[in-house]
Amino acid sequence: MISDSTKARFAKEVAKYPAEQKQSAVMACLAIVQHELGYVSADSEAQVAEYLGMAPMAVHEVTTFYNMYNQRPVGKYKLNVCTNLPCQLRDGVSTLKYLEAKLGISMGETTPDGLFTLQQSECLGACADSPVMLVNDRSMCSFMTPDKLDQLVDGLRAAGDK
Amino acid sequence: MTAQHILSQFRSTGVQTCFHDRHISPQILAGLNGTNWRLKDYESRGGYQALRKVLGVDGVAMSQDQVIATVKESALRGRGGAGFPTGLKWSFMPRQFPGQKYLVCNSDEGEPGTCKDRDIMEFNPHIVIEGMIIAAYAMGISVGYNYIHGEIFSTYDRFEEALQEARAAGLLGNNILGSNFSFQLHAAHGFGAYICGEETALLESLEGKKGQPRFKPPFPASFGLYGKPTTINNTETFAAVPWIIRNGGQAYLECGKPNNGGTKIYSVSGDVELPGNFEVPMGTPFAKLLELAGGVRSGRKLKAVIPGGSSSPVLPASIMMDCTMDYDSIAKAGSMLGSGAVIVMDDSRCMVKSLQRLSYFYMHESCGQCTPCREGTGWLWRVVDRIENGHGRAADMDLMDSVAEDIQGRTICALGDAAAMPVRAMIKHFRHEFEYHVEHKTCMVPAYV
C-alpha cells in the first residue's frame, strides 16, 4: 500500500500537469518509490499505475527504459562512477577500479553485507568535476581522489544505519 | 556523522569550475559565488529588470513582435547543440492559436563533456526562469516545464526552490507583476536516458512514456507536448535572453561575431590543468580558451580536440589551433560547436581506446527504435573493441566507415548521426593509429587507463 506521506509526494508531482495528463508524473512517482524503498518492484509499479490511472505495463515500460531505476534491490548505498570519455581522461576508470578493490566486488555487484552496490555509469553531466560519482541517485560527489574515496566508503560504513 | 552529512562533504562547490576569474565579459556566470543564487541576490545583479521592461511595469510594455525582433537581431543561436537561430524558432509558434501551448526548457544535459547547464541552474537559477517567462510572453504561452537531467538531482531541488521564490514574489503565476500576462512554470526530471536530450524524446518522457524520439515533421511548433504547439530551447539559450532584452539585440550581437551573437559557456574537460566552465564571447580563439583552462595538462602536447560534445567530429591539434570558438568556424573546420563541450586530448592518448569508449556509450544509449542505429551502434562498438583488444582485421577501418555511413541520415533522430560522426572523423584523421593497432595488436602511444 502507498502510505499517506508518499501519496502527498505523488500529489505534488501530479499537480504540475493538466488534470487529464496524470501519467506525466510517472517518472517522478517511480523516483519517489525508489527513494523510499530502494527499488521499484512489480508491486510498486502496480500501485503507481493505479494511482495514475495507467496500465501497469505502461509503468513497466518506463521503469525498464530509464537507466537509474533499480529493478531489483541494491545495496544501501548505490555508487555510480562515470567512466565516459571525459572522465576516462581524468581517472574515471581508475576510480572504478579502486572501488572494486576496496569493496572486494566487481562492477555490477553488491557487497555481501548489503551495504554497497557498485556500477559503471554513463555521463553524469559533471565532466569538469571528474572523477565523479553519484550516490543513491541524488548525491553527486566530485573530484573523488583515492583519499576521498576512502573517506566516503569508510564514513558510510561507520555511519551504519544513521 | 550521518550518511547525508558524509556525502555532502563531497558536493561540488563550483569554486574550481565556475567561480574563477577566467571568464571574458560574462553575462550568465558574472558575479556568482555559490551563495548568491537566491531571488534577492539575482535582483541585486539586475535580475528581472528585463521582465519588467517587457511587461511595461515601469513604462510602456514591449509587444510580442518587439521581443522576437530583438532576439532575432541578437543572432542568439540555440545553445543545446543545433545552433538554430532562437528568434526564428520563436517566430514559428502560432501566436493566434486558440488552444493551450507549451514552453519547454531542455536541461537534460547528458552529452559527454557538457556540464554548463548544471552550473547555470545551480548557481543562477533565476536567470533561466526570467528567460523562460520572457519567451512565454513573446509567444503567448501560459504553461512551461523545465526538464532536468535526472543525475543532477540536487540541481533539480535547487531549481524547485527558485521556482517557489519566484511564485511567492509574483514573478510566476497569474497576472505577473500586476500585468495581464500569466505563466505557470514547473520542474520535471529525467532518470538516466541520454536520448531524452533529443527534443521529441524529451516530450515523450514529459508525457510519462519511454523516451523514444518522434518522427519529424510534424515539428514541435505544431505538434509538441500533448500534441499542442510547443517551443523547446536549451537552458543556456533561455539564460541569454534577459541580457539581450536589457541591453538590446545589437549589443549582444556585437559582443560575439556576425551570425554568432553573444557569449557562450564552454565546458572544457579532459587533459587540461583547470577543467571547468568558461564564458567567453563567441569567436574567441580556441588557443585563448585553452589558455584559460590552464593549457594542456602537465605541459604535454595537444593531440586532438572534440570541440562540441562527444557527438561532434574530432579535430587534430593543427586544425583546432587555427579555429575560433563559434558555430561557423568550427563547422568550416569539419566539426560542430554543438553544446560547446570541449574535450581536450594530449599526445599520450590512444584514439582507438577513446573511440571504443564513445562507441560503447552510443550502443548503450540507442533507444532501439531504428534498425540502423540499434544494430549499427553495437556493430561499431564490437569492431572498435576488437581492434583495441588486438583482434582487428585489415578491412575493419573500411568496415566501420561503411557501417557509420549506413547509419548516418537513416534514423528518426540524430543519435544515429551522433554515433557515426565520431567514428568517421577518427578514421579520417587518425587512420594510421587504427592501422598500427591492427598490425601490431598493440597501441602506438603509451597506454592509459
Side-chain angles (χ1 to χ4, degrees):
Chain A
M1 278 298 291
I2 305 172
S3 70
D4 285 347
S5 66
T6 305
K7 274 189 183 160
R9 291 178 76 184
F10 283 6
K12 209 174 142 227
E13 298 301 328
V14 169
K16 294 175 179 178
Y17 304 97
E20 71 283 8
Q21 301 290 352
K22 282 164 73 175
Q23 176 169 348
S24 282
V26 67
M27 299 270 295
C29 291
L30 291 171
I32 290 167
V33 165
Q34 180 155 307
H35 190 223
E36 294 186 353
L37 304 175
Y39 77 114
V40 180
S41 67
D43 275 354
S44 296
E45 285 181 349
Q47 286 162 16
V48 168
E50 193 186 339
Y51 184 86
L52 296 175
M54 294 169 68
M57 182 50 74
V59 177
H60 190 57
E61 266 197 321
V62 171
T63 313
T64 52
F65 186 83
Y66 297 89
N67 296 325
M68 288 168 67
Y69 293 116
N70 307 324
Q71 294 172 55
R72 54 192 67 80
V74 295
K76 186 172 169 61
Y77 302 106
K78 181 176 73 165
L79 315 179
N80 281 60
V81 182
C82 179
T83 60
N84 206 305
L85 181 61
C87 281
Q88 178 170 284
L89 299 172
R90 294 191 84 85
D91 300 325
V93 178
S94 55
T95 298
L96 181 63
K97 286 182 176 161
Y98 186 87
L99 284 171
E100 284 184 330
K102 185 167 177 74
L103 299 172
I105 54 173
S106 299
M107 68 172 186
E109 295 177 348
T110 300
T111 52
D113 60 6
L115 214 47
F116 295 100
T117 295
L118 182 62
Q119 294 179 347
Q120 168 177 269
S121 88
E122 294 304 338
C123 189
L124 296 172
C127 315
D129 292 5
S130 178
V132 66
M133 62 194 277
L134 187 64
V135 181
N136 285 355
D137 309 324
R138 297 186 182 218
S139 300
M140 188 84 79
C141 298
S142 297
F143 305 108
M144 296 308 285
T145 54
D147 273 3
K148 289 189 181 176
L149 293 170
D150 287 344
Q151 283 174 40
L152 182 135
V153 170
D154 298 345
L156 291 178
R157 271 185 184 141
D161 283 332
K162 273 186 283 181
Chain B
M1 275 200 289
T2 65
Q4 210 45 51
H5 191 94
I6 291 162
L7 293 172
S8 67
Q9 297 173 72
F10 305 106
R11 183 167 171 171
S12 164
T13 59
V15 170
Q16 297 96 320
T17 59
C18 191
F19 315 135
H20 47 66
D21 56 3
R22 299 186 307 284
H23 304 294
I24 300 173
S25 313
Q27 298 166 354
I28 296 170
L29 300 180
L32 305 181
N33 63 18
T35 59
N36 58 2
W37 61 271
R38 291 194 172 277
L39 176 60
K40 61 175 172 39
D41 305 307
Y42 181 60
E43 286 181 324
S44 73
R45 293 193 293 272
Y48 290 108
Q49 290 300 324
L51 179 65
R52 288 170 185 278
K53 184 175 170 182
V54 165
L55 296 178
V57 174
D58 311 309
V60 184
M62 288 175 77
S63 70
Q64 294 179 320
D65 285 331
Q66 280 173 325
V67 174
I68 292 178
T70 304
V71 174
K72 275 186 178 168
E73 184 186 20
S74 75
L76 171 65
R77 294 170 64 174
R79 300 298 194 229
F84 192 82
T86 304
L88 188 59
K89 186 186 255 190
W90 289 10
S91 70
F92 291 158
M93 272 297 260
R95 268 180 288 157
Q96 303 313 320
F97 183 80
Q100 185 68 55
K101 291 179 284 188
Y102 292 101
L103 185 68
V104 174
C105 179
N106 184 346
S107 299
D108 194 27
E109 181 178 54
E111 173 79 3
T114 320
C115 51
K116 62 188 176 66
D117 298 337
R118 172 183 178 231
D119 276 359
I120 297 172
M121 289 184 291
E122 185 85 19
F123 304 125
N124 204 9
H126 283 284
I127 202 170
V128 181
I129 297 173
E130 187 182 13
M132 288 191 75
I133 303 169
I134 293 167
Y137 172 84
M139 291 176 277
I141 297 171
S142 61
V143 179
Y145 295 97
N146 184 9
Y147 184 99
I148 298 170
H149 197 219
E151 286 85 340
I152 52 171
F153 215 92
S154 58
T155 307
Y156 167 77
D157 286 339
R158 166 71 51 90
F159 195 80
E160 283 273 32
E161 245 187 288
L163 286 176
Q164 287 295 356
E165 286 188 319
R167 287 178 194 128
L171 294 160
L172 282 172
N174 295 328
N175 302 103
I176 293 173
L177 296 174
S179 70
N180 60 7
F181 174 63
S182 300
F183 179 59
Q184 319 291 334
L185 179 58
H186 303 286
H189 66 76
F191 223 57
Y194 167 71
I195 190 66
C196 290
E198 198 279 340
E199 61 181 12
T200 60
L202 187 154
L203 294 177
E204 289 286 302
S205 185
L206 255 186
E207 292 182 5
K209 303 169 189 162
K210 60 188 157 113
Q212 289 192 322
R214 299 173 182 170
F215 196 82
K216 293 189 280 193
F219 291 92
S222 53
F223 189 93
L225 184 63
Y226 310 127
K228 304 294 184 190
T230 301
T231 291
I232 307 164
N233 286 125
N234 169 253
T235 321
E236 188 187 352
T237 311
F238 284 123
V241 170
W243 195 97
I244 293 170
I245 297 298
R246 281 203 310 275
N247 299 281
Q250 186 63 28
Y252 189 79
L253 176 60
E254 280 167 10
C255 74
K257 64 183 258 193
N259 198 33
N260 296 264
T263 60
K264 169 89 188 80
I265 302 172
Y266 296 98
S267 302
V268 183
S269 65
D271 294 321
V272 290
E273 286 290 347
L274 304 164
N277 287 312
F278 302 88
E279 185 177 357
V280 299
M282 279 283 184
T284 298
F286 168 73
K288 180 67 187 172
L289 181 64
L290 184 61
E291 183 194 317
L292 295 174
V296 181
R297 193 156 50 156
S298 311
R300 297 199 73 103
K301 240 179 98 196
L302 182 68
K303 178 174 186 172
V305 176
I306 299 176
S310 67
S311 309
S312 65
V314 65
L315 293 174
S318 57
I319 295 178
M320 199 63 209
M321 289 304 279
D322 288 336
C323 287
T324 58
M325 296 305 293
D326 55 84
Y327 297 102
D328 297 339
S329 171
I330 301 292
K332 204 172 150 210
S335 188
M336 311 185 311
L337 190 70
S339 57
V342 179
I343 307 171
V344 175
M345 291 187 272
D346 72 26
D347 57 356
S348 72
R349 300 308 182 181
C350 166
M351 299 319 245
V352 179
K353 194 174 185 72
S354 299
L355 182 61
Q356 176 200 29
R357 186 62 185 89
L358 288 181
S359 291
Y360 178 84
F361 168 67
Y362 289 109
M363 172 182 70
H364 189 267
E365 297 300 326
S366 172
C367 81
Q369 187 177 205
C370 309
T371 311
C373 177
R374 182 182 64 230
E375 301 300 321
T377 51
W379 196 357
L380 286 173
W381 175 74
R382 288 193 297 278
V383 175
V384 70
D385 186 63
R386 78 181 176 218
I387 297 174
E388 168 64 16
N389 288 308
H391 306 295
R393 303 164 196 170
D396 276 353
M397 281 65 76
D398 291 337
L399 174 63
M400 282 200 293
D401 209 43
S402 80
V403 172
E405 192 182 347
D406 280 340
I407 299 173
Q408 222 173 327
R410 291 177 169 86
T411 54
I412 287 174
C413 86
L415 192 143
D417 297 348
M421 286 186 296
V423 170
R424 307 191 78 183
M426 282 285 191
I427 292 173
K428 178 179 166 195
H429 294 297
F430 298 98
R431 191 179 180 104
H432 57 286
E433 274 193 42
F434 287 78
E435 287 171 347
Y436 188 97
H437 254 270
V438 169
E439 192 179 335
H440 298 271
K441 304 191 187 310
T442 183
C443 194
M444 69 183 287
V445 290
Y448 74 100
V449 287

